Amino acid sequence: MTGERPGGPFVDQVTAGPGGAMTDDVGVITGDLTVATAALPGGKARVDVQYTGAEEWYTLTGSPVPVPGDGLAALHGRVLARIREGGAAEVPR
């Protein structure tokens, strides 16, 4: 996703760990990132990332993903933790 901010209820900033976060659009991105996790129809969630302060958004590899039983907020927290770890982080399954 590029050009506009996704309409997600969970948006946070995170610094990617060594190896960054893997996107479908441009490959690995690193540094200070903004992460947005939004619910989609059918019980799925979309996770997008951008360089903090940039206009372009990118799809985090593995998105969309089913919303886990513990909810969208828990998924968002796991995504943030995974990106902090780095290693070409993808959406946790």
Side-chain angles (χ1 to χ4, degrees):
M1 169 178 205
T2 58
E4 64 184 54
R5 182 175 161 210
F10 298 102
V11 179
D12 284 291
Q13 294 180 1
V14 63
T15 299
M22 180 63 73
T23 71
D24 291 349
D25 311 284
V26 294
V28 172
I29 60 174
T30 61
D32 294 328
L33 306 176
T34 301
V35 180
T37 304
L40 296 173
K44 295 204 175 219
R46 178 181 179 98
V47 181
D48 295 291
V49 296
Q50 71 173 177
Y51 290 106
T52 298
E55 291 184 20
E56 293 82 18
W57 286 90
Y58 308 111
T59 302
L60 189 65
T61 298
S63 175
V65 64
V67 176
D70 54 355
L72 193 62
L75 172 64
H76 183 71
R78 286 193 286 277
V79 168
L80 294 174
R82 183 72 57 92
I83 292 173
R84 282 186 192 103
E85 292 173 9
E90 299 182 4
V91 177
R93 301 212 179 264

